[in-house]
Amino acid sequence: MKRVVLLAAALLLSSTTAFGTGVWVEAESFRDKGGWSVDQQFMDLMGSPYLIAHGMGKPVADAVTTVEFPESGTYHAYVRTFNWVAPWYDGEGPGRFSLRVGKRTLPEVLGNRGREWMWQYAGRVAVRKGPVEVSLTDLSGFDGRCDAVYFTRDQGDVPPADSGELAAFRRRMLHIPDTPQRVESFDFVVVGGGIAGMCAAVSASRLGCRVALVNDRPVLGGNNSSEVRVHLGGVIEVGPNKGLGRMIREFGHSRGGNAQPAGNYEDAKKEEFIAAEKNVALFAGCRAVAVNTTGGRIASVVVRHIETGEETLLEAPLFADCTGDGTVGFLAGADFRMGRESRDEFGEELAPAAADRMTMGSSVQWYSVDAGEKTDFPVFSYGLRFDETNCEKVTMGEWKWETGMNLDQIVDFERIRDYGLLVVYSNWSFLKNGLRDNGEFRNRELGWVAYVAGKRESRRLLGDYVLKQDDIDKHVFHEDASFATTWDLDLHFPDSLNSVRFPGREFKAATKHVHIYPYAVPYRCLYSRNVDNLFMAGRNISVTHVALGSVRVMRTTGMMGEVVGMAASLCRKYGTSPRGVYQRHLDELRSLMREGVGRKDVPDNQRFNQGASLKAPRALRND
């Protein structure tokens, strides 16, 4: 019921507000988004989501809204936009679009110049007082983007460029109160609607907790959703606690593979899985933007609707960070690591000699389809040159198309995603327009290109225990053994041939799989060592970079979530902390993990994708 109420509230808010001489329009709040999509991936850095015209080279339908002008007159229009190829190309970019006000299209082409997010002047227009239709018209299909539109009677009245000043200006224009006016209380707040977050919420719910599940996308499942399209890896129902993982049968896909048609990822199944839980309130399309702490504990989290800007304060005695990026922990001051530890720090032979900031990268997956006749694709050449010797003669790209390993996966994430798009379009353009023998590609067209990047690694929150390679190699016994890892030690690094062809601009990864025996990870890796009431589940748990190579796949992260939900129920039952469960209630947690909370009437019809061989000795193999 909470989910319906939240969405209804979102529909009541206007996309337009007036203040002084200006009229502000948030692009993500357009009434009819047409073919444009809301992109919230970078709102922590730029202060807001934006609309993106992701047409894979074909212009998308107009985004349309109604703007209420407070008085008649001539208005100057400014649009906050970004020439997204600027990091690699000095000329005009491909993300072109225009602004139409009433029946007039303003003269300036937008989104194709400048080197950073900027206020671009669109032109002036005379309007009558009252409602006027405003539209964004995509001119290329190549990911033009619009954050906001500002109409002003004074041509010199340009909104600020500085991010802090702009955030304050935006709140003033949208009349957003300094503190959320809506407050809700729960037993447990789970932030992040990927596989780990879903399982944490439902596990706690089935054990009697009232749970808020916060998800900043319109679909659940994170990297396993139709937006990113990564299969569920790992094996469930193994190890000392075989009750863990049975829950995943209830929503897991029955067809495997990466970068496959959207239906293979069965988003509706995940939605039904959450909707069936009467104790779970889903805050869909909401992102955690602030955390309030007191005495080393989280008191509340502020979540903001990604389309309306409406903010809600969620209070609880317990929280779980299932964001992948460790966002809640970071905002709460939790200890964390990024990058690779040195070989000596934890005695890991797979670690580098010296610590560095390298991470596993993010993938922009894609595939093409046979159109049955010759198809065209625009010439796309914006700073990345492909030719007969270095092009990728393939009809799809999945996990190996991976970027950003040497960049910051938080601060540089938009650039990382955009480089992934640049590579796909540039290579495909050459295959269609430049390759001499291109018969294989003549009748093909892009069928799907992700604009939500699949991220593997960023912050890792530190717990009372840090899992390391030695634990896995030696199969070290831990009294608080919880979920079992079955995936090989699978650490990605830049592909050597791709590095030769594109030095410093790699876009493909390689890996070596180090076989493991299934190994149960300590429960102490699932809660923060310095934020007293914070759990974590997903790729942001307390592990080294090397150990992350084994625990990061999604059937495994789902089992992490189950354990966290069980522990949260014990915290509620005994009025204790996550650490208190380890110190005083470990036997009861162990009983819950062995029994599990998944339904027992669901057959196991899932395909187990590549994981560890359950009997294989430790060995290296190339993949």
Side-chain angles (χ1 to χ4, degrees), residues 466-498:
V466 179
L467 184 75
K468 56 191 179 297
Q469 183 183 349
D470 203 47
D471 292 304
I472 299 170
D473 286 349
K474 296 179 179 176
H475 209 269
V476 175
F477 171 78
H478 294 281
E479 63 172 347
D480 57 335
S482 61
F483 65 93
T485 58
T486 58
W487 196 262
D488 297 342
L489 279 166
D490 171 15
L491 294 166
H492 294 195
F493 45 84
D495 176 84
S496 57
L497 179 59
N498 194 244

mmCIF file of all heavy atoms in Angstrom, residues 466-498:
data_model
loop_
_atom_site.group_PDB
_atom_site.id
_atom_site.type_symbol
_atom_site.label_atom_id
_atom_site.label_comp_id
_atom_site.label_asym_id
_atom_site.label_seq_id
_atom_site.Cartn_x
_atom_site.Cartn_y
_atom_site.Cartn_z
ATOM 1 N N VAL A 466 37.528 -8.697 7.920
ATOM 2 C CA VAL A 466 37.750 -8.442 6.501
ATOM 3 C C VAL A 466 38.149 -9.752 5.838
ATOM 4 O O VAL A 466 39.212 -10.318 6.155
ATOM 5 C CB VAL A 466 38.849 -7.379 6.282
ATOM 6 C CG1 VAL A 466 39.075 -7.156 4.782
ATOM 7 C CG2 VAL A 466 38.488 -6.058 6.966
ATOM 8 N N LEU A 467 37.294 -10.267 4.971
ATOM 9 C CA LEU A 467 37.591 -11.519 4.270
ATOM 10 C C LEU A 467 38.752 -11.292 3.305
ATOM 11 O O LEU A 467 38.786 -10.294 2.592
ATOM 12 C CB LEU A 467 36.354 -11.985 3.498
ATOM 13 C CG LEU A 467 36.488 -13.340 2.798
ATOM 14 C CD1 LEU A 467 36.419 -14.467 3.826
ATOM 15 C CD2 LEU A 467 35.403 -13.505 1.728
ATOM 16 N N LYS A 468 39.686 -12.241 3.262
ATOM 17 C CA LYS A 468 40.882 -12.114 2.426
ATOM 18 C C LYS A 468 41.134 -13.423 1.690
ATOM 19 O O LYS A 468 40.476 -14.439 1.940
ATOM 20 C CB LYS A 468 42.081 -11.741 3.296
ATOM 21 C CG LYS A 468 42.341 -12.701 4.445
ATOM 22 C CD LYS A 468 43.347 -12.151 5.416
ATOM 23 C CE LYS A 468 43.579 -13.115 6.593
ATOM 24 N NZ LYS A 468 42.358 -13.327 7.392
ATOM 25 N N GLN A 469 42.109 -13.400 0.801
ATOM 26 C CA GLN A 469 42.400 -14.573 -0.020
ATOM 27 C C GLN A 469 42.772 -15.789 0.824
ATOM 28 O O GLN A 469 42.376 -16.913 0.513
ATOM 29 C CB GLN A 469 43.537 -14.254 -1.004
ATOM 30 C CG GLN A 469 43.853 -15.407 -1.947
ATOM 31 C CD GLN A 469 45.015 -15.116 -2.874
ATOM 32 O OE1 GLN A 469 45.473 -13.978 -2.973
ATOM 33 N NE2 GLN A 469 45.509 -16.138 -3.556
ATOM 34 N N ASP A 470 43.505 -15.576 1.907
ATOM 35 C CA ASP A 470 43.942 -16.688 2.751
ATOM 36 C C ASP A 470 42.753 -17.467 3.317
ATOM 37 O O ASP A 470 42.797 -18.693 3.430
ATOM 38 C CB ASP A 470 44.808 -16.146 3.894
ATOM 39 C CG ASP A 470 45.744 -17.201 4.457
ATOM 40 O OD1 ASP A 470 46.396 -17.897 3.660
ATOM 41 O OD2 ASP A 470 45.824 -17.318 5.690
ATOM 42 N N ASP A 471 41.683 -16.753 3.692
ATOM 43 C CA ASP A 471 40.479 -17.428 4.191
ATOM 44 C C ASP A 471 39.928 -18.402 3.163
ATOM 45 O O ASP A 471 39.460 -19.500 3.504
ATOM 46 C CB ASP A 471 39.393 -16.399 4.514
ATOM 47 C CG ASP A 471 39.734 -15.530 5.699
ATOM 48 O OD1 ASP A 471 39.999 -16.074 6.777
ATOM 49 O OD2 ASP A 471 39.740 -14.292 5.547
ATOM 50 N N ILE A 472 39.978 -17.983 1.899
ATOM 51 C CA ILE A 472 39.399 -18.788 0.822
ATOM 52 C C ILE A 472 40.345 -19.929 0.447
ATOM 53 O O ILE A 472 39.932 -21.089 0.329
ATOM 54 C CB ILE A 472 39.089 -17.892 -0.383
ATOM 55 C CG1 ILE A 472 38.081 -16.818 0.027
ATOM 56 C CG2 ILE A 472 38.564 -18.709 -1.551
ATOM 57 C CD1 ILE A 472 37.865 -15.727 -1.002
ATOM 58 N N ASP A 473 41.633 -19.613 0.277
ATOM 59 C CA ASP A 473 42.604 -20.642 -0.116
ATOM 60 C C ASP A 473 42.700 -21.768 0.913
ATOM 61 O O ASP A 473 42.767 -22.949 0.559
ATOM 62 C CB ASP A 473 43.999 -20.017 -0.260
ATOM 63 C CG ASP A 473 44.131 -19.164 -1.512
ATOM 64 O OD1 ASP A 473 43.220 -19.227 -2.368
ATOM 65 O OD2 ASP A 473 45.134 -18.435 -1.630
ATOM 66 N N LYS A 474 42.715 -21.390 2.188
ATOM 67 C CA LYS A 474 42.934 -22.381 3.247
ATOM 68 C C LYS A 474 41.647 -22.898 3.862
ATOM 69 O O LYS A 474 41.690 -23.703 4.806
ATOM 70 C CB LYS A 474 43.827 -21.775 4.337
ATOM 71 C CG LYS A 474 45.225 -21.432 3.830
ATOM 72 C CD LYS A 474 46.088 -20.799 4.919
ATOM 73 C CE LYS A 474 47.481 -20.497 4.390
ATOM 74 N NZ LYS A 474 48.332 -19.798 5.398
ATOM 75 N N HIS A 475 40.534 -22.403 3.329
ATOM 76 C CA HIS A 475 39.238 -22.852 3.836
ATOM 77 C C HIS A 475 39.185 -22.704 5.352
ATOM 78 O O HIS A 475 38.823 -23.620 6.104
ATOM 79 C CB HIS A 475 38.994 -24.304 3.426
ATOM 80 C CG HIS A 475 37.537 -24.642 3.272
ATOM 81 N ND1 HIS A 475 36.777 -25.131 4.290
ATOM 82 C CD2 HIS A 475 36.717 -24.531 2.211
ATOM 83 C CE1 HIS A 475 35.544 -25.333 3.869
ATOM 84 N NE2 HIS A 475 35.476 -24.967 2.611
ATOM 85 N N VAL A 476 39.530 -21.504 5.817
ATOM 86 C CA VAL A 476 39.618 -21.238 7.254
ATOM 87 C C VAL A 476 38.237 -21.374 7.900
ATOM 88 O O VAL A 476 37.240 -20.854 7.379
ATOM 89 C CB VAL A 476 40.188 -19.830 7.503
ATOM 90 C CG1 VAL A 476 40.167 -19.490 8.989
ATOM 91 C CG2 VAL A 476 41.597 -19.731 6.943
ATOM 92 N N PHE A 477 38.180 -22.063 9.035
ATOM 93 C CA PHE A 477 36.913 -22.208 9.756
ATOM 94 C C PHE A 477 36.624 -20.949 10.570
ATOM 95 O O PHE A 477 37.499 -20.415 11.259
ATOM 96 C CB PHE A 477 36.962 -23.408 10.701
ATOM 97 C CG PHE A 477 35.773 -23.482 11.609
ATOM 98 C CD1 PHE A 477 34.553 -23.948 11.152
ATOM 99 C CD2 PHE A 477 35.870 -23.046 12.936
ATOM 100 C CE1 PHE A 477 33.448 -23.996 11.997
ATOM 101 C CE2 PHE A 477 34.766 -23.089 13.784
ATOM 102 C CZ PHE A 477 33.554 -23.571 13.299
ATOM 103 N N HIS A 478 35.378 -20.464 10.479
ATOM 104 C CA HIS A 478 34.919 -19.354 11.299
ATOM 105 C C HIS A 478 33.645 -19.785 12.025
ATOM 106 O O HIS A 478 32.729 -20.336 11.418
ATOM 107 C CB HIS A 478 34.623 -18.122 10.436
ATOM 108 C CG HIS A 478 35.842 -17.534 9.791
ATOM 109 N ND1 HIS A 478 36.729 -16.725 10.460
ATOM 110 C CD2 HIS A 478 36.331 -17.664 8.523
ATOM 111 C CE1 HIS A 478 37.704 -16.360 9.640
ATOM 112 N NE2 HIS A 478 37.488 -16.922 8.465
ATOM 113 N N GLU A 479 33.587 -19.508 13.303
ATOM 114 C CA GLU A 479 32.419 -19.936 14.075
ATOM 115 C C GLU A 479 31.148 -19.265 13.592
ATOM 116 O O GLU A 479 30.049 -19.797 13.757
ATOM 117 C CB GLU A 479 32.627 -19.636 15.563
ATOM 118 C CG GLU A 479 32.777 -18.150 15.886
ATOM 119 C CD GLU A 479 32.797 -17.876 17.374
ATOM 120 O OE1 GLU A 479 32.454 -18.795 18.153
ATOM 121 O OE2 GLU A 479 33.152 -16.744 17.757
ATOM 122 N N ASP A 480 31.282 -18.090 12.978
ATOM 123 C CA ASP A 480 30.105 -17.369 12.488
ATOM 124 C C ASP A 480 29.930 -17.538 10.985
ATOM 125 O O ASP A 480 29.416 -16.644 10.292
ATOM 126 C CB ASP A 480 30.197 -15.887 12.855
ATOM 127 C CG ASP A 480 31.450 -15.212 12.326
ATOM 128 O OD1 ASP A 480 32.455 -15.918 12.101
ATOM 129 O OD2 ASP A 480 31.425 -13.976 12.141
ATOM 130 N N ALA A 481 30.345 -18.705 10.458
ATOM 131 C CA ALA A 481 30.193 -18.992 9.031
ATOM 132 C C ALA A 481 28.735 -18.777 8.612
ATOM 133 O O ALA A 481 27.816 -19.259 9.270
ATOM 134 C CB ALA A 481 30.620 -20.429 8.753
ATOM 135 N N SER A 482 28.543 -18.055 7.513
ATOM 136 C CA SER A 482 27.172 -17.738 7.081
ATOM 137 C C SER A 482 26.936 -18.220 5.652
ATOM 138 O O SER A 482 26.904 -19.426 5.411
ATOM 139 C CB SER A 482 26.895 -16.244 7.238
ATOM 140 O OG SER A 482 27.764 -15.442 6.450
ATOM 141 N N PHE A 483 26.806 -17.321 4.692
ATOM 142 C CA PHE A 483 26.517 -17.721 3.311
ATOM 143 C C PHE A 483 27.759 -18.339 2.673
ATOM 144 O O PHE A 483 28.899 -18.022 3.021
ATOM 145 C CB PHE A 483 26.055 -16.507 2.496
ATOM 146 C CG PHE A 483 27.108 -15.451 2.322
ATOM 147 C CD1 PHE A 483 27.939 -15.433 1.204
ATOM 148 C CD2 PHE A 483 27.296 -14.474 3.286
ATOM 149 C CE1 PHE A 483 28.921 -14.467 1.050
ATOM 150 C CE2 PHE A 483 28.282 -13.497 3.138
ATOM 151 C CZ PHE A 483 29.103 -13.497 2.030
ATOM 152 N N ALA A 484 27.542 -19.232 1.710
ATOM 153 C CA ALA A 484 28.648 -19.918 1.047
ATOM 154 C C ALA A 484 28.978 -19.243 -0.283
ATOM 155 O O ALA A 484 28.092 -18.926 -1.072
ATOM 156 C CB ALA A 484 28.302 -21.382 0.810
ATOM 157 N N THR A 485 30.271 -19.038 -0.514
ATOM 158 C CA THR A 485 30.730 -18.561 -1.815
ATOM 159 C C THR A 485 31.126 -19.770 -2.661
ATOM 160 O O THR A 485 31.800 -20.680 -2.179
ATOM 161 C CB THR A 485 31.950 -17.639 -1.677
ATOM 162 O OG1 THR A 485 32.990 -18.332 -1.009
ATOM 163 C CG2 THR A 485 31.612 -16.402 -0.883
ATOM 164 N N THR A 486 30.706 -19.760 -3.910
ATOM 165 C CA THR A 486 31.030 -20.851 -4.828
ATOM 166 C C THR A 486 31.700 -20.357 -6.092
ATOM 167 O O THR A 486 32.231 -21.149 -6.858
ATOM 168 C CB THR A 486 29.753 -21.606 -5.222
ATOM 169 O OG1 THR A 486 28.834 -20.681 -5.825
ATOM 170 C CG2 THR A 486 29.092 -22.255 -4.019
ATOM 171 N N TRP A 487 31.654 -19.060 -6.334
ATOM 172 C CA TRP A 487 32.254 -18.490 -7.546
ATOM 173 C C TRP A 487 33.769 -18.471 -7.400
ATOM 174 O O TRP A 487 34.306 -18.212 -6.322
ATOM 175 C CB TRP A 487 31.714 -17.081 -7.737
ATOM 176 C CG TRP A 487 31.923 -16.491 -9.104
ATOM 177 C CD1 TRP A 487 32.917 -15.630 -9.470
ATOM 178 C CD2 TRP A 487 31.104 -16.680 -10.253
ATOM 179 N NE1 TRP A 487 32.766 -15.273 -10.787
ATOM 180 C CE2 TRP A 487 31.661 -15.910 -11.302
ATOM 181 C CE3 TRP A 487 29.956 -17.431 -10.509
ATOM 182 C CZ2 TRP A 487 31.109 -15.852 -12.582
ATOM 183 C CZ3 TRP A 487 29.403 -17.387 -11.777
ATOM 184 C CH2 TRP A 487 29.963 -16.624 -12.796
ATOM 185 N N ASP A 488 34.445 -18.711 -8.500
ATOM 186 C CA ASP A 488 35.905 -18.644 -8.485
ATOM 187 C C ASP A 488 36.389 -17.255 -8.063
ATOM 188 O O ASP A 488 35.649 -16.282 -8.126
ATOM 189 C CB ASP A 488 36.462 -18.907 -9.893
ATOM 190 C CG ASP A 488 36.129 -20.294 -10.412
ATOM 191 O OD1 ASP A 488 35.787 -21.162 -9.605
ATOM 192 O OD2 ASP A 488 36.210 -20.493 -11.641
ATOM 193 N N LEU A 489 37.644 -17.170 -7.668
ATOM 194 C CA LEU A 489 38.288 -15.860 -7.542
ATOM 195 C C LEU A 489 38.451 -15.308 -8.959
ATOM 196 O O LEU A 489 39.270 -15.793 -9.750
ATOM 197 C CB LEU A 489 39.643 -15.992 -6.853
ATOM 198 C CG LEU A 489 39.594 -16.089 -5.331
ATOM 199 C CD1 LEU A 489 40.933 -16.549 -4.774
ATOM 200 C CD2 LEU A 489 39.201 -14.755 -4.720
ATOM 201 N N ASP A 490 37.649 -14.331 -9.276
ATOM 202 C CA ASP A 490 37.464 -13.855 -10.653
ATOM 203 C C ASP A 490 37.720 -12.350 -10.663
ATOM 204 O O ASP A 490 36.812 -11.548 -10.459
ATOM 205 C CB ASP A 490 36.033 -14.203 -11.083
ATOM 206 C CG ASP A 490 35.624 -13.595 -12.408
ATOM 207 O OD1 ASP A 490 36.503 -13.132 -13.153
ATOM 208 O OD2 ASP A 490 34.402 -13.582 -12.692
ATOM 209 N N LEU A 491 38.970 -11.978 -10.873
ATOM 210 C CA LEU A 491 39.383 -10.583 -10.823
ATOM 211 C C LEU A 491 39.640 -10.066 -12.234
ATOM 212 O O LEU A 491 40.459 -10.632 -12.964
ATOM 213 C CB LEU A 491 40.655 -10.430 -9.979
ATOM 214 C CG LEU A 491 40.481 -10.750 -8.498
ATOM 215 C CD1 LEU A 491 41.831 -10.901 -7.825
ATOM 216 C CD2 LEU A 491 39.652 -9.671 -7.817
ATOM 217 N N HIS A 492 38.955 -9.003 -12.599
ATOM 218 C CA HIS A 492 39.094 -8.455 -13.945
ATOM 219 C C HIS A 492 40.238 -7.443 -14.002
ATOM 220 O O HIS A 492 40.495 -6.719 -13.037
ATOM 221 C CB HIS A 492 37.794 -7.773 -14.363
ATOM 222 C CG HIS A 492 36.648 -8.717 -14.516
ATOM 223 N ND1 HIS A 492 35.485 -8.381 -15.162
ATOM 224 C CD2 HIS A 492 36.465 -9.995 -14.093
ATOM 225 C CE1 HIS A 492 34.643 -9.399 -15.146
ATOM 226 N NE2 HIS A 492 35.230 -10.389 -14.491
ATOM 227 N N PHE A 493 40.872 -7.378 -15.151
ATOM 228 C CA PHE A 493 41.954 -6.425 -15.397
ATOM 229 C C PHE A 493 41.944 -6.089 -16.884
ATOM 230 O O PHE A 493 41.326 -6.806 -17.692
ATOM 231 C CB PHE A 493 43.305 -7.017 -14.979
ATOM 232 C CG PHE A 493 43.520 -8.445 -15.440
ATOM 233 C CD1 PHE A 493 43.996 -8.707 -16.718
ATOM 234 C CD2 PHE A 493 43.225 -9.507 -14.603
ATOM 235 C CE1 PHE A 493 44.171 -10.021 -17.153
ATOM 236 C CE2 PHE A 493 43.398 -10.823 -15.028
ATOM 237 C CZ PHE A 493 43.872 -11.084 -16.306
ATOM 238 N N PRO A 494 42.589 -5.000 -17.295
ATOM 239 C CA PRO A 494 42.546 -4.612 -18.709
ATOM 240 C C PRO A 494 43.081 -5.712 -19.616
ATOM 241 O O PRO A 494 44.124 -6.317 -19.343
ATOM 242 C CB PRO A 494 43.438 -3.364 -18.761
ATOM 243 C CG PRO A 494 43.366 -2.795 -17.378
ATOM 244 C CD PRO A 494 43.289 -3.984 -16.475
ATOM 245 N N ASP A 495 42.368 -5.961 -20.693
ATOM 246 C CA ASP A 495 42.789 -6.943 -21.689
ATOM 247 C C ASP A 495 44.084 -6.459 -22.345
ATOM 248 O O ASP A 495 44.181 -5.302 -22.783
ATOM 249 C CB ASP A 495 41.691 -7.111 -22.735
ATOM 250 C CG ASP A 495 42.083 -8.039 -23.855
ATOM 251 O OD1 ASP A 495 41.940 -9.254 -23.679
ATOM 252 O OD2 ASP A 495 42.542 -7.531 -24.906
ATOM 253 N N SER A 496 45.091 -7.331 -22.438
ATOM 254 C CA SER A 496 46.418 -6.906 -22.896
ATOM 255 C C SER A 496 46.403 -6.443 -24.344
ATOM 256 O O SER A 496 47.032 -5.419 -24.685
ATOM 257 C CB SER A 496 47.428 -8.042 -22.708
ATOM 258 O OG SER A 496 47.014 -9.211 -23.403
ATOM 259 N N LEU A 497 45.712 -7.147 -25.234
ATOM 260 C CA LEU A 497 45.661 -6.736 -26.636
ATOM 261 C C LEU A 497 44.915 -5.421 -26.782
ATOM 262 O O LEU A 497 45.338 -4.534 -27.537
ATOM 263 C CB LEU A 497 44.996 -7.819 -27.487
ATOM 264 C CG LEU A 497 44.845 -7.502 -28.983
ATOM 265 C CD1 LEU A 497 46.212 -7.231 -29.615
ATOM 266 C CD2 LEU A 497 44.146 -8.655 -29.702
ATOM 267 N N ASN A 498 43.818 -5.261 -26.039
ATOM 268 C CA ASN A 498 43.069 -4.012 -26.082
ATOM 269 C C ASN A 498 43.914 -2.855 -25.572
ATOM 270 O O ASN A 498 43.822 -1.728 -26.079
ATOM 271 C CB ASN A 498 41.789 -4.163 -25.252
ATOM 272 C CG ASN A 498 40.784 -3.070 -25.503
ATOM 273 O OD1 ASN A 498 40.468 -2.288 -24.608
ATOM 274 N ND2 ASN A 498 40.255 -2.983 -26.719
#
